[in-house]
Amino acid sequence: MTDNQIELEGPAAPRAQQKNRNRKSVFDRANGTSTSTNETMNKPNSKKTSELLRRRDAPLETRTDLTASATKDITATMNAILADVFALYVKTKNFHWHMSGPHFRDYHLLLDEQGDQLFAMTDPIAERVRKIGGITLHSIGEIARTQRVLDNDAEYVEPLDMLAELADDNRTLAARLREAHNVCDEHLDVATASLIEVWIDETERRAWFLFEATRRVN
């Protein structure tokens, strides 16, 4: 005999019976809700089911008024830019650490300043991707698979060759930023485009400084 089957006698009996009836009512309501939800989920053409499944499969999706195709295109473009910026940052720091020669101090400080500027770009790029509903880079491995900037693992590079290589990389980055701007324009993403305009100016400034530093006296 279960607790619910024990017959109570005396003044406590009505209260116990009412309590059991209340518990049964709550259980029935909960079970009915569960059954109703399961029935809804099991309907093959249920709009609610499709929405629940979509939300379950995309837990990091951010609401945005941009179209799905806009999010896809801009995310792919900006993640490639992000990987390039990380790669160029590491290369700039590499040359900063391994600088040598009579102009060591000037070049060392120049590359330190440029490295900081590049690193400062990374978080706004990644956060912009998330704001429009995209997924951004996760790891060093993903950066390596996505980057288009070539690494330089040489044990020794002449100082002027370092600067010239970085100047070329920055000019290439500026061109790719313009391409990314065009993608944003196509999808009317003015917010990302406005950020890119600032980054183009900064990138052109880095290329300018590097070029002038390598200009040889005639």
Side-chain angles (χ1 to χ4, degrees):
M1 179 178 293
T2 65
D3 292 342
N4 290 335
Q5 293 173 320
I6 297 176
E7 295 185 2
L8 299 176
E9 297 180 356
R15 290 197 301 272
Q17 292 169 359
Q18 181 62 39
K19 185 176 180 181
N20 286 337
R21 284 196 295 271
N22 290 342
R23 289 170 61 187
K24 184 177 186 300
S25 176
V26 171
F27 176 79
D28 289 343
R29 288 199 302 271
N31 188 51
T33 300
S34 177
T35 301
S36 175
T37 302
N38 288 336
E39 289 175 353
T40 300
M41 290 291 289
N42 289 331
K43 291 180 181 178
N45 297 321
S46 170
K47 185 176 180 181
K48 184 176 181 181
T49 300
S50 299
E51 175 64 15
L52 289 172
L53 291 173
R54 186 191 66 78
R55 290 172 61 186
R56 184 191 67 186
D57 293 339
L60 294 179
E61 184 174 302
T62 304
R63 291 182 180 272
T64 175
D65 63 327
L66 295 175
T67 64
S69 62
T71 294
K72 180 180 178 181
D73 292 347
I74 297 168
T75 293
T77 298
M78 296 312 296
N79 277 338
I81 292 292
L82 180 58
D84 285 342
V85 171
F86 269 121
L88 185 53
Y89 164 73
V90 173
K91 179 186 277 190
T92 301
K93 295 302 289 187
N94 166 26
F95 290 165
H96 160 78
W97 295 322
H98 296 99
M99 184 56 67
S100 61
H103 300 289
F104 168 80
R105 185 179 187 279
D106 290 339
Y107 295 164
H108 183 77
L109 294 177
L110 172 64
L111 298 188
D112 196 30
E113 175 187 306
Q114 294 198 354
D116 288 345
Q117 190 176 70
L118 286 162
F119 188 74
M121 293 172 61
T122 59
D123 201 47
I125 295 173
E127 289 188 350
R128 187 62 203 159
V129 170
R130 294 291 293 119
K131 287 175 186 176
I132 65 171
I135 302 297
T136 192
L137 304 179
H138 299 86
S139 64
I140 295 295
E142 193 168 358
I143 292 171
R145 292 189 297 272
T146 309
Q147 72 180 77
R148 295 161 294 185
V149 174
L150 298 179
D151 295 329
N152 188 326
D153 298 329
E155 185 173 342
Y156 175 77
V157 181
E158 286 286 342
L160 291 180
D161 290 340
M162 290 181 177
L163 302 185
E165 185 171 340
L166 291 177
D168 286 342
D169 287 337
N170 277 281
R171 282 191 291 268
T172 300
L173 178 60
R176 286 172 177 156
L177 284 166
R178 289 190 181 88
E179 293 172 357
H181 193 287
N182 290 338
V183 174
C184 295
D185 286 344
E186 179 183 346
H187 294 291
L188 303 180
D189 182 6
V190 295
T192 305
S194 66
L195 291 172
I196 290 174
E197 290 167 6
V198 174
W199 295 328
I200 290 173
D201 182 63
E202 292 177 350
T203 303
E204 289 178 333
R205 186 177 188 272
R206 290 193 300 273
W208 172 38
F209 273 47
L210 291 163
F211 168 73
E212 292 297 341
T214 58
R215 187 191 291 273
R216 299 180 186 276
V217 178
N218 294 328

